[in-house]
């Protein structure tokens, strides 16, 4: 197989995979929010409530968050 | 799986990196060998031409001139045969440019002469009224750096196997020899064709003005 | 985690970068005005001997505005907003502070070295990568330091989730690192030649078409990872914060992020249409450039919708004006780019003034406006002073908006005119115009462009004055403003 063919195969397969991953990510985002597992929109608050002593949206040392990992 | 990407900065970074790298790997790498093959009969740049190329880069002529003739009738009519990949095999770096404030120069050697360049570089408007090209008078007094050009020839010969003759060797002695036997005579020929007494005198004194080296390079573009 | 009351975000590095943003902005744009005028009036080439010609000055203009003004502005935004969205102060770690100062001083050295070497004509000639190898090495060090600081802060963070701006900063770091290394592979010529010639000279590892492919892979992605990705990081922080409105859809921002990451890189081939690179690379460059509209507009629309129900802020807050207009220009130039990448349009547009026109509606309208908003939003928090003058800010906004419009409309017309004249043939199929005809018709447009550039520069001077007065003479603030930046 020539390098040209190889790269065309790689390209087709690669973009195929990426498209699948990308769309399943969209599905994942909306599904997990619908099921109530996640709330993405709350992360938007990180920017507007950003004093050093304000409560983080998710605390690093919070055991509740550790468990989810 | 996605949960990881969002929460763990490390996996996230890897994900981003792979996404970015993928496109480059597929589009660029496979063509490296093929487009690097020189066309038949292509000679590497002589030391003088390389020095001229350095002047071209130093005065950044590529901010106004391209060296890439595209395959359209309007361009081939104006500039000649369209450019082939293999013609650039010894161009390090490539000098295609990105803007044509002035005309393409890839085949300028076919239709301009050294004495035309001498007049044009001294005062473009005297040759082409209305030209916006700056005059490059300092190139008539600045001396071209043939030593760096020679160093580059040695480097590309050693590192990339560019087919230079046996006389291109590391070291000052080899350089002095090539300078005397090849570079200066070649420069004298150009200077004579440029019909400028001053330039001829300088070359005879062993100093090659930048404009002579530059003209040697422009003459080579065919 | 200690929670003493005195703990604060540390803005000392932010301050340093603020001053370099202003200074490099003035230098870079002044040179820009000069070179624009040189095309309109060529006799202006001779005020500084060999150092004053258009061709020597042009890379100084591009490099100073990109690597001086923009990168400084991005670092202002980074050192300011990264601390805040991670809820950790860089001052909590002596080590990171030291790295930060070191990074700044190396950056100053590199930027000044760049200006001097460009002026002397020491260059590799590759656009946006003109630095010779000693500067390249310095830049790698600076970049690595930045990465260490970024990941150091991430390691210390209190906020577990990484805000979307951080995603974009991380992508900027990785993208530039990878592309920069690849593009600058070069061999110093003294190494193999037995010490002959200039010590700073080097020769590219790639030749001809390969070199071009790698270079435009970089050139294109310098646009992606310097003009786009970090600027999106800025707007995702500053617009919500200034307006007090959370991002319209956080999910959309995540999707646009991955979309942009994937597609941007494929589009690089569009700089080389009709050249000697393989056909399918060119075709893909075109196709992906068009697809790229989606994630770009995703981000831009997300920003505009963030203002939903709050459009009254647009009328009475000039900073919101800057940011909303920036998003709009972003939409304009991300639509214009793909149009130029269509092969038949590119045949006319490439090598003409339409290209610098396109670049400038992006950089003047989008990047620079965002940098101004970044500095002005941060200034009251950093200096604990009110913004010196609202009316000056308003005036700057309108002058610069007019300037951008003059700039890109004149360049559009100039570009298309020249592109059409180059290919015009008479009834016998002969070319109708000699080259110099196609240069001389551009004169009026070049004059308009120079006027537009001058107006923009005047706006910048107003900004610099306003900023300087804010930092030194603005009314003192007792408490940090939460959302809207106070201005007199």
């Amino acid at each position: 197989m020539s390098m040209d063919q190889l790269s065309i195969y790689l390209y087709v397969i690669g973009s195929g995979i990426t498209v699948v991953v990308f769309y399943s990510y969209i599905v994942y985002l909306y599904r997990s929010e619908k099921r109530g597992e996640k709330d993405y929109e709350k992360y938007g608050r990180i920017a507007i409530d950003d004093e050093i002593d304000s409560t983080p949206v998710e605390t690093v040392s919070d055991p509740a968050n550790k468990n989810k990992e | 799986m996605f949960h990881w990407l969002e929460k763990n900065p490390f996996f996230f970074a890897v994900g981003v990196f792979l996404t970015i790298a993928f496109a480059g790997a597929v589009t660029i790498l496979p063509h490296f060998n093929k487009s690097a093959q020189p066309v038949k009969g292509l000679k590497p740049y002589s030391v003088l031409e390389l020095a001229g190329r350095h002047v071209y880069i130093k005065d950044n002529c590529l901010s106004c001139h391209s060296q890439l003739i595209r395959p359209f009738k309007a361009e081939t009519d104006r500039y000649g045969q369209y450019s082939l990949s293999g013609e650039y095999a010894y161009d390090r770096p490539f000098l295609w440019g990105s803007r044509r404030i002035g005309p393409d120069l890839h085949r300028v050697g076919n239709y301009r002469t050294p004495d035309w360049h001498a007049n044009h570089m001294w005062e473009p408007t005297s040759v082409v009224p209305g030209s916006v090209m700056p005059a490059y008078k300092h190139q008539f007094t600045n001396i071209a750096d043939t030593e760096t050009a020679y160093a580059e020839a040695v480097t590309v010969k050693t590192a990339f196997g560019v087919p230079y003759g046996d006389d291109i060797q590391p070291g000052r002695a080899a350089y002095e020899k090539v300078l005397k036997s090849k570079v200066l005579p070649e420069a004298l020929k150009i200077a004579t064709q440029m019909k400028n007494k001053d330039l001829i005198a300088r070359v005879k004194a062993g100093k090659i003005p930048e404009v002579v080296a530059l003209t040697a390079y422009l003459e080579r573009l065919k | 985690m200690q929670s003493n009351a005195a703990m604060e975000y540390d803005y000392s590095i932010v301050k340093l970068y603020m001053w370099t943003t202003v200074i490099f902005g003035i230098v870079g744009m002044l040179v820009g005005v000069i070179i624009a005028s040189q095309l309109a009036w060529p006799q202006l080439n001779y005020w500084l001997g060999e150092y004053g010609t258009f061709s020597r000055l042009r890379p100084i203009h591009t490099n100073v505005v990109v690597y001086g003004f923009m990168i400084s502005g991005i670092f202002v935004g980074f050192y300011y907003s990264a601390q805040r969205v991670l809820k950790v102060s860089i001052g909590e770690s002596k080590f990171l502070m030291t790295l930060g100062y070191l990074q700044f001083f190396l950056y100053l050295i590199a930027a000044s070295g760049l200006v001097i070497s460009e002026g002397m004509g020491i260059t590799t000639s590759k656009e946006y990568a003109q630095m010779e190898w000693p500067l390249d090495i310095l830049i790698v060090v600076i970049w690595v330091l930045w990465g260490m600081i970024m990941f150091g802060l991430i390691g210390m963070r209190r906020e577990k989730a990484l805000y979307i701006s951080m995603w974009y900063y991380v992508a900027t770091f990785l993208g530039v690192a990878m592309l920069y290394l690849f593009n600058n592979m070069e061999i110093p010529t003294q190494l193999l030649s037995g010490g002959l010639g200039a010590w700073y000279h080097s020769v590219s590892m790639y030749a001809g078409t390969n070199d071009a492919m790698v270079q435009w892979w970089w050139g294109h992605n310098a646009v992606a990872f310097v003009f786009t990705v970090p600027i999106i990081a800025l707007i995702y922080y500053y617009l919500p914060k200034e307006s007090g409105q959370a991002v319209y859809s956080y999910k959309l921002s995540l999707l646009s992020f991955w979309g942009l990451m994937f597609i941007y890189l494929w589009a690089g081939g569009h700089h080389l249409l009709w050249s000697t690179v393989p056909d399918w690379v060119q075709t893909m460059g075109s196709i992906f450039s068009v697809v790229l509209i989606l994630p770009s507009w995703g981000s831009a629309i997300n920003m505009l919708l963030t203002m939903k129900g709050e459009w009254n802020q647009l009328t009475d807050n000039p900073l919101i004006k800057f940011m909303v207009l920036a998003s709009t220009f972003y939409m304009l130039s991300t639509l214009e780019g793909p149009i130029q990448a269509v092969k038949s349009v590119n045949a006319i547009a490439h090598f003409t003034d339409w290209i610098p026109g396109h670049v400038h509606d992006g950089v003047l309208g989008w990047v620079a406006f965002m940098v101004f908003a970044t500095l002005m939003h941060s200034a009251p928090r950093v200096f604990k002073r009110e913004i010196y003058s609202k009316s000056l800010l308003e005036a700057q906004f309108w002058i610069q908006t007019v300037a951008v419009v003059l700039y890109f409309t004149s360049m559009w017309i100039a570009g298309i005119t020249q592109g059409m004249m180059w290919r015009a043939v008479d009834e016998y199929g002969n070319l109708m115009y000699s080259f110099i005809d196609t240069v001389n018709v551009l004169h009026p447009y070049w004059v308009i462009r120079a006027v537009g550039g001058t107006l923009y520069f005047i706006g910048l001077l107003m900004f610099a004055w306003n900023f300087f007065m804010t930092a030194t003479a603005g009314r003192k603030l007792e408490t940090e403003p939460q959302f809207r930046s106070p201005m007199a």
Side-chain angles (χ1 to χ4, degrees), chain C residues 62-235:
Chain C
T62 52
N63 281 302
V64 173
V65 290
V66 175
Y67 297 118
F69 172 71
M70 277 180 209
I71 292 278
S72 285
I74 291 163
F75 280 141
V76 168
F78 170 78
Y79 281 106
Y80 180 87
S81 65
Q83 296 187 57
R84 301 189 67 116
V85 297
L86 297 171
K87 296 197 175 65
V88 58
S89 166
I90 189 173
E92 288 171 55
S93 160
K94 277 241 163 55
F95 178 61
L96 290 186
M97 272 313 270
T98 322
L99 291 190
Y101 280 118
L102 185 64
Q103 195 232 13
F104 175 77
F105 287 111
L106 291 182
Y107 168 81
L108 255 194
I109 296 173
S112 331
L114 176 59
V115 176
I116 295 168
S117 63
E118 287 306 313
M120 290 167 58
I122 299 170
T123 165
T124 64
S125 92
K126 294 186 176 188
E127 281 183 75
Y128 307 109
Q130 276 110 337
M131 307 69 136
E132 270 293 2
W133 64 270
L135 285 175
D136 283 340
I137 293 175
L138 193 56
I139 287 165
V140 171
V141 173
I142 293 168
W143 211 251
V144 170
L145 284 176
W146 185 43
M148 288 168 72
I149 292 164
M150 178 162 7
F151 286 101
L153 282 177
I154 290 178
M156 283 159 54
R157 72 194 190 278
R158 300 205 175 78
E159 175 65 70
K160 185 166 173 65
L162 293 186
Y163 185 62
I164 185 74
S165 295
M166 287 309 296
W167 290 33
Y168 279 98
Y169 288 132
V170 170
T172 305
F173 169 72
L174 291 173
V176 172
M178 174 176 74
L179 299 158
Y180 193 83
L181 283 179
F182 265 104
N183 190 34
N184 285 290
M185 287 296 165
E186 56 210 2
I187 305 180
T189 46
Q190 274 198 345
L191 277 186
L192 296 175
S193 64
L196 289 176
W199 61 273
Y200 47 75
H201 185 70
S202 67
V203 59
S204 172
M205 295 258 271
Y206 320 108
T209 306
N210 286 341
D211 201 35
M213 279 199 285
V214 177
Q215 158 62 19
W216 283 111
W217 192 41
W218 156 260
H220 173 72
N221 294 299
V223 175
F225 288 101
V226 179
F227 299 6
T228 307
V229 173
I231 310 297
I232 298 180
L234 297 183
I235 200 165

Side-chain angles (χ1 to χ4, degrees), chain C residues 215-421:
Chain C
Q215 158 62 19
W216 283 111
W217 192 41
W218 156 260
H220 173 72
N221 294 299
V223 175
F225 288 101
V226 179
F227 299 6
T228 307
V229 173
I231 310 297
I232 298 180
L234 297 183
I235 200 165
Y236 269 128
Y237 173 79
Y238 284 97
L239 184 63
K241 183 68 181 173
E242 176 73 23
S243 66
Q245 297 275 94
V247 178
Y248 171 71
S249 162
Y250 199 77
K251 288 188 287 300
L252 180 56
S253 70
L254 301 185
L255 293 176
S256 315
F257 175 83
W258 288 110
L260 195 75
M261 285 303 113
F262 175 60
I263 298 167
Y264 223 115
L265 272 278
W266 284 111
H270 68 215
H271 290 260
L272 301 170
L273 298 180
W274 301 110
S275 75
T276 61
V277 304
D279 269 345
W280 75 277
V281 173
Q282 301 185 21
T283 308
M284 270 186 15
S286 285
I287 295 175
F288 274 98
S289 304
V290 175
V291 181
L292 190 56
I293 297 179
L294 289 176
S296 310
W297 280 45
S299 299
I301 288 175
N302 208 355
M303 286 295 92
L304 294 178
L305 285 179
T306 298
M307 294 308 297
K308 204 174 70 173
E310 289 288 326
W311 286 104
N312 57 317
Q313 290 196 25
L314 186 65
T315 48
D316 61 15
N317 185 347
L319 288 185
I320 297 284
K321 279 201 185 79
F322 272 108
M323 289 193 269
V324 167
L325 199 73
S327 323
T328 319
F329 270 114
Y330 180 58
M331 289 176 82
L332 172 73
S333 50
T334 50
L335 181 65
E336 186 186 8
I339 291 176
Q340 291 179 335
V342 174
K343 269 184 142 182
S344 52
V345 179
N346 190 269
I348 299 179
H350 196 56
F351 290 136
T352 72
D353 273 333
W354 193 4
I355 306 299
H358 165 60
V359 173
H360 281 82
D361 55 51
V363 289
L364 297 178
W366 153 245
V367 180
F369 271 25
M370 232 7 258
V371 170
F372 295 142
T374 297
L375 258 69
M376 274 305 181
H377 172 92
S378 312
R381 281 89 179 166
V382 169
F383 297 108
K384 303 194 168 46
R385 285 174 190 275
E386 199 175 62
I387 291 175
Y388 174 67
S389 164
K390 179 178 176 183
S391 45
L392 209 52
L393 212 52
E394 286 275 353
Q396 180 203 349
F397 174 82
W398 288 110
I399 289 183
Q400 292 193 324
T401 305
V402 172
V404 181
V405 173
L406 284 181
Y407 195 111
F408 74 76
T409 46
S410 62
M411 288 292 94
W412 282 358
I413 302 173
I416 294 170
T417 308
Q418 197 178 30
M420 298 305 269
M421 283 175 82

Side-chain angles (χ1 to χ4, degrees), chain B residues 29-101:
Chain B
L29 295 181
H31 301 283
F32 252 62
N33 272 326
K34 207 170 68 191
S35 29
Q37 299 308 319
V39 291
K40 252 222 194 94
L42 186 73
K43 280 200 307 241
Y45 293 102
S46 76
V47 173
L48 184 67
E49 288 161 2
L50 267 186
R53 206 165 185 272
H54 290 169
V55 176
Y56 190 92
I57 290 173
K58 177 179 169 197
D59 269 321
N60 199 21
C61 311
L62 59 154
S63 61
C64 290
H65 290 286
S66 61
Q67 286 191 22
L68 176 74
I69 302 166
R70 298 179 295 167
F72 308 136
K73 184 167 179 306
E75 299 220 343
T76 51
D77 281 1
R78 200 182 286 278
Y79 305 116
Q81 155 80 42
Y82 62 81
S83 306
L84 303 172
S85 190
E87 293 178 279
Y88 300 109
Y90 301 129
D91 280 21
R92 294 170 193 268
F94 78 111
L95 296 174
W96 294 1
S98 56
R99 171 76 181 94
R100 272 184 198 152
I101 294 172

